[in-house]
Structures are given as C-alpha cells and as structure tokens.
Amino acid sequence: MTRPRAVVRTSGAAFDRVVDVAGMRRLESTTAPEIDLMHRAGTALAVAVHRRVGPLRGRVIVALVGPGDNGGDALIMARTLARGGAAVVCWASRARSADPLVDAARAAGVRWRVWSGDARPIARDIRGAAAVVDGLLGIGSTPPLRGQVAEMLRALPEVPGQLRLAIDVPSGICGDTGHADPLTFRATGTLATGPIKLGAVLHPGIEYAGAVEALDIGLAPEIAASGAPRIIDAATVRDLAPARPLDGHKGTFGRVLIVGGSAAYRGAPALAALAAQSAGAGVVTVASVEASVGACAAVAPAATFRVLAANTDGCIGASLDAIEALGEPTALLVGPGLSRSPSSDALARDLATDARRGVPTVVDADGLNALAAEPARLGTLGPNAILTPHPGEMRRLLDLAETPRGADMMQATRELAALSGAVVVGKGSPTFVATDNQLFLLARPNPALAAAGSGDVLAGAVAALAAQGLRPPDAARLGVWLHARAGELAADGRAAGIAVERIARKLGPALAETLEQDGAP
C-alpha cells in the first residue's frame, strides 16, 4: 500500500494540543464519566467517518474492535453509522461478554464477528469495504503486538485507495514514544478523540498515522490551561501573519541584517537573504566577507551589502563595533555560513548577547556552535533571541551524551529555552518551538526539506517576520509553518531533487495562502 502523506491538523475549533498517555489519563479523570466520554468520542468518530465516506447508504464499513475503551468508541461509532444507513461489520479481537455496547450495536443492524484464527472471512469483508476503522488498541498499549491482535493485523489485505482510519493511534504504536511494531495498522488518517496523542506525531508512529486530525469531544475548557504542547498548523498561525498596509513602503516592512558567510560557505547568507525577502522583509542587508558578498549578489540582487574585514581563515574578522556602525536593523540574523574562528565566534556571541538591547536576533548554524563553546553565555540571551538548532547543535549546546531525537528533542528544546530565556526552534521532524513557559509542535514531515541550506531559509524567514513586528515566539511559529508549507509547494509531490532556492522563493506564496480565509490544506 502506498504510504499516505503524514500531516497534522486541528480543524480550527478542535484541540490544538498534544498529550502523552499520562496527560490524557489526567484529563479523563477530571472531566465527564467514562461512559459519557465514550459516547461523545463514538459520535464524533461517526461524524468524521461519514464526512470522509460520503453517503452511507449501502457502503460497507469495517470496524476492528479491541477489548478496551478504543473498542467501546468503535462500537458506538459503528452503531451510529449503521443507523445512518451504512452496512457495518465489527470484527472483534476477542468476545466482549455481556457488553451492552455490543448489544446496542447489533440491535442497530451491525454484524458482529469475533476473530477465530481464520483469515479468509475478515479478508473478504475488508476487500469489500469503503472504509476500515481501527479500534483494536488504545494509547495504553505498547509494542510488540501479540496474540489475536497481531494475528488480525497480519490477516488484513492491502486494498489500494481504501480509506483506513485509526482511533487516537494506530494499533501497534506506543502512545508516548511513537515506537511501532512492524504489523502496526497503516492508516490513511488518524482521528484523535480530544487532544492529539504524542505517539501519533513522533517517528515512526506518524509514518503509520497518515493525516492526524483532532476531534472536539467537549474537553477543550479542561485542557486549555494545561502545559501540553500546542500544534502549529494553518489554523493556529493564520492570525499571526503580519499586516501589509496599502500605503506601506520598504521601511514599513522591516530591515533585516544578516551577519554570516565566509570564504568556505559563501552561499548560505544568500539563501537567508532570499528567504527574508520572500517572507516580506522590506530591506535585507548582508554583512559578510567580500568572497561571500559576491555570491550573495548573484542570488539575491535586491539585497544591499556591506563588506566586512576577513581574517586569514576567510572568516569575518570584524568586531561588534563594526556591525553597530551599519545602523540599527529591526531584526538581526547571525550565523549562516559563518564558519568557526576566534574572531567570528566572538562576534557571534557578542551579537547574540546584544539581543537584550531589544532587537530580535536569530542565531543559527555556527552562531550556535560559537555559543556552545562558551555555555555560560546562554544564560545571558533573553527573550529577544531566537535559537534555531538542529539535533546535532542541540547536543553541543546542552552538552548531551547523545544526539536527541523525538521526545528527547522535545525535552531538550524545553530545557534550552528555560536555560537561555530565548525562543528555541528545535529543528527536525517534528519541529518544536519553545519559550520559557510554552511549547509548540509542527508535525509535517517532508524529506524535501532535508537538504543543506534549508536551515538558512528557515532562519531568514523567521528574521523577516520578526523584522515586520512579530514577537519572537510568533515569528518562530509562523516561520516554521511557512518553511514547511513552502517546502511542500516547492516539492510538488517529490521527496528529493528540490533546489533550496526554490523553497525560499515559495515562502511568499505560502504566506499569501496562509492569509486567505481557508488557509492551506
């Protein structure tokens, strides 16, 4: 079966939060009685399935039913769909003895089947179904799969183009870590009852989950005050887009100063400059050594340029005073292509620390490595600094024993934000954005973005948004969304071979799309 595209969305009014298993258990224990929550969930699931399947009359829908609460959700969904005219078949991993939910479903016309070890009947039903809904295991299970559930999942035939939906997480995935059994149910979409579950947005879980959508089951007031991460998607960032007044001029839309580049890495500041222009900055200035300035002028000719002194290594040899003499930008970006030398490291650290003066300062690439070399500086940054480390840079900044991934990267992003007081963009899949008291998560995997220069594009976009007046946390959130969406627009369905310059140029269309009423898909 072709792997579905992985994307997470909140459907506007529904949850924009992500919870781990313990968080969901706490939420459940402080809200409605369990049976009420189950009925809300089952009804919401039925509505979501109906929306995807279309007219129900005569359509076959197979529900895979486990012994726990997810199985209960699936039974209520099945009963509701059957009442709406669908031909619903429930396949249970084992009997649910004396269960009123089973009795109610059968009374509504649902056919009830219990797994017996014979793969032929379930395969026959699956092949004739318009949709298959996985309610076998819930968020409390962990791989490996065992017993009847493993046998059932092994027996499921592949049906090209079939709608396959999972409840909360596909069966076989750990709800906390995203670890997955090889037999995990491969969904085209996952329907989260209430908040999205962490295991469905971490790798490899998200690769089985397909398009993850949160369904509102009436719990939003209870979770709004929790510390759960918040989703970044079109619905949650649309209101952040900067205004573009009709009488505006280039000064209205901010001045970005990019300090970076070296003889070894000449093009990185050019990519950042191109991205800053595409993301709406009015004036972009690149301050670099002469070798890099020449390369930048060819890629981003609308930028302005300031040549800085170079040291014998071809790195920037200028001091903080030389940068301050260039005038006051509305946002600063330091690091793209900077390379490492005593003078360029010192300049990067001074500029990062200087963010306390009030100018939003994005620190990327070797600017981060310079900070890692003097970790005491991290505590002096403050909320006007925006750090954009990838996992390797995060390991160096926090002096971690291993490169963080998944949930470990989430925790590291939180830790670095708390340590520095800065906004931290923990790059990767997912990407995390943390302040000292909030965490946001973008789960939109795209291999087209896994290329040298992609981080320079992101840094330029974030700097441009900060230059246009967005608060650093908002510039980071909107920046990572635009970067992801621009990557999708540039890739146009491809996973590789995408010029990074093309991604930078698609930031403008991504921003325009985000401003539209309906937003991006």
Side-chain angles (χ1 to χ4, degrees):
M1 183 182 297
T2 301
R3 288 195 175 190
R5 178 183 175 205
V7 57
V8 175
R9 54 178 174 264
T10 58
S11 298
F15 278 121
D16 65 350
R17 302 280 177 158
V18 180
V19 295
D20 58 14
V21 174
M24 189 62 192
R25 296 292 185 240
R26 286 193 299 271
L27 179 61
E28 291 170 336
S29 69
T30 58
T31 55
E34 181 179 357
I35 192 64
D36 288 348
L37 288 177
M38 195 175 289
H39 278 282
R40 292 186 203 174
T43 302
L45 289 164
V47 171
V49 173
H50 189 181
R51 186 170 68 245
R52 287 160 175 78
V53 170
L56 294 176
R57 186 67 58 185
R59 308 298 296 278
V60 177
I61 297 172
V62 174
L64 308 179
V65 179
D69 288 349
N70 260 35
D73 295 344
L75 280 165
I76 294 169
M77 175 204 70
R79 182 186 67 194
T80 305
L81 291 170
R83 287 174 174 172
V88 184
V89 184
C90 282
W91 271 94
S93 58
R94 63 174 186 255
R96 295 173 63 111
S97 301
D99 188 341
L101 294 177
V102 175
D103 296 339
R106 297 182 74 173
V110 173
R111 288 189 292 148
W112 178 250
R113 302 285 185 267
V114 178
W115 173 255
S116 65
D118 185 352
R120 291 170 295 179
I122 192 171
R124 187 163 51 245
D125 284 339
I126 294 290
R127 290 192 181 97
V132 180
V133 182
D134 167 28
L136 286 170
L137 297 176
I139 59 174
S141 68
T142 57
L145 290 165
R146 305 174 183 84
Q148 297 100 318
V149 170
E151 293 172 4
M152 284 180 68
L153 290 172
R154 188 180 289 111
L156 300 186
E158 293 188 1
V159 181
Q162 186 176 64
L163 178 66
R164 294 198 172 188
L165 301 172
I167 300 174
D168 280 331
V169 295
S171 295
I173 287 176
C174 174
D176 278 336
T177 66
H179 294 163
D181 186 279
L183 289 175
T184 294
F185 181 85
R186 192 175 293 283
T188 56
T190 294
L191 303 173
T193 56
I196 291 167
K197 310 311 183 287
L198 184 59
V201 299
L202 299 176
H203 289 274
I206 194 170
E207 299 166 40
Y208 291 87
V212 183
E213 181 179 352
L215 303 181
D216 189 349
I217 60 170
L219 300 181
E222 288 83 1
I223 198 171
S226 80
R230 301 183 65 179
I231 288 291
I232 298 172
D233 69 354
T236 60
V237 301
R238 188 175 300 126
D239 292 341
L240 302 179
R244 303 290 292 186
L246 295 179
D247 62 346
H249 52 81
K250 61 185 180 182
T252 306
F253 303 120
R255 299 174 180 271
V256 175
L257 174 60
I258 300 170
V259 180
S262 60
Y265 300 104
R266 305 182 184 193
L271 291 170
L274 189 62
Q277 291 168 338
S278 188
V283 179
V284 178
T285 299
V286 176
S288 187
V289 298
E290 187 169 7
S292 183
V293 162
C296 290
V299 175
T304 60
F305 303 95
R306 298 292 184 270
V307 176
L308 301 176
N311 61 25
T312 55
D313 296 324
C315 299
I316 293 174
S319 66
L320 180 61
D321 289 343
I323 304 301
E324 291 178 339
L326 301 178
E328 189 80 358
T330 52
L332 175 65
L333 167 57
V334 57
L338 190 66
S339 288
R340 302 293 306 281
S341 73
S343 60
S344 59
D345 276 9
L347 177 61
R349 287 190 289 263
D350 288 345
L351 288 171
T353 305
D354 206 41
R356 283 192 175 275
R357 293 189 311 157
V359 177
T361 301
V362 181
V363 186
D364 186 45
D366 277 328
L368 296 168
N369 291 324
L371 285 172
E374 286 192 14
R377 290 284 194 112
L378 289 172
T380 68
L381 299 183
N384 284 313
I386 305 172
L387 310 182
T388 59
H390 59 54
E393 291 161 345
M394 185 72 80
R395 177 180 59 80
R396 290 188 284 275
L397 285 163
L398 293 177
D399 193 24
L400 302 174
E402 297 182 357
T403 300
R405 305 286 182 186
D408 291 337
M409 185 65 171
M410 180 175 71
Q411 180 57 35
T413 304
R414 284 188 194 266
E415 183 178 339
L416 183 57
L419 175 66
S420 65
V423 176
V424 178
V425 178
K427 296 186 294 193
S429 180
T431 288
F432 303 99
V433 176
T435 67
D436 59 352
N437 61 2
Q438 287 185 303
L439 182 70
F440 302 88
L441 180 154
L442 175 81
R444 211 170 173 97
N446 184 358
L449 294 175
S454 180
D456 302 316
V457 171
L458 172 60
V462 173
L465 296 167
Q468 293 171 76
L470 270 66
R471 298 183 312 115
D474 295 340
R477 288 167 57 201
L478 181 56
V480 299
W481 166 257
L482 294 179
H483 181 245
R485 186 64 187 137
E488 293 168 357
L489 294 173
D492 194 24
R494 292 174 290 167
I498 313 303
V500 176
E501 303 95 299
R502 178 172 168 80
I503 298 173
R505 292 188 175 97
K506 289 295 184 180
L507 287 166
L511 180 58
E513 178 188 72
T514 301
L515 284 165
E516 294 175 0
Q517 183 176 0
D518 293 332

